Amino acid sequence: MKAGQLNRRVKIQKKASGVDDYGQPVETWEDYATVWAWLKAPTGMGTANSEFMAESGEVSRTLYSIRIRYRNDITAKMRCVCDGTVFDIRSVIPDIAGHKYADLVVAEGANNG
């Protein structure tokens, strides 16, 4: 993977629990890692533009791929923030053979807290 392709700074966040000023439990997001990434839009992924069915009806979601250097500590319970846009991680596809990269399949605009 060429370093020039990794041209975006992406924050990977995980859910964190805490309490507010009144002692009530709250869930927030905290930064887990900041990495260089290559954000691949749907046009570069073939059939990445997909629609998911939810119990409440049809929900349209555009899928993207965010490629980062290989790491094995990212999960689908996390999310990414790139240029102010929040992306829910749908799945993580690591380069198991070469350990060079991990592709994060993400959905823009999803409701994940």
Side-chain angles (χ1 to χ4, degrees):
M1 174 173 32
K2 296 180 181 179
Q5 292 176 323
L6 304 175
N7 60 2
R8 298 279 179 95
R9 279 308 252 182
V10 173
K11 287 184 183 182
I12 299 172
Q13 298 180 328
K14 66 177 183 174
K15 279 191 178 181
S17 298
V19 293
D20 63 13
D21 293 339
Y22 302 102
Q24 299 297 314
V26 294
E27 281 191 352
T28 60
W29 290 94
E30 68 181 14
D31 292 346
Y32 180 73
T34 302
V35 297
W36 286 102
W38 176 20
L39 178 62
K40 298 192 284 182
T43 55
M45 294 176 53
T47 60
N49 217 359
S50 302
E51 291 185 352
F52 295 94
M53 294 298 292
E55 288 182 26
S56 60
E58 193 171 298
V59 179
S60 179
R61 296 279 185 239
T62 302
L63 295 181
Y64 295 85
S65 177
I66 296 178
R67 179 167 284 184
I68 62 174
R69 293 194 189 283
Y70 181 84
R71 43 189 312 158
N72 60 4
D73 59 340
I74 308 300
T75 71
K77 293 183 179 183
M78 298 177 175
R79 73 179 188 179
C80 297
V81 180
C82 181
D83 296 330
T85 303
V86 176
F87 298 94
D88 286 339
I89 299 176
R90 298 297 176 136
S91 65
V92 179
I93 306 169
D95 172 24
I96 295 172
H99 288 223
K100 293 182 181 179
Y101 62 85
D103 285 328
L104 311 178
V105 179
V106 299
E108 178 184 6
N111 296 322
N112 198 3

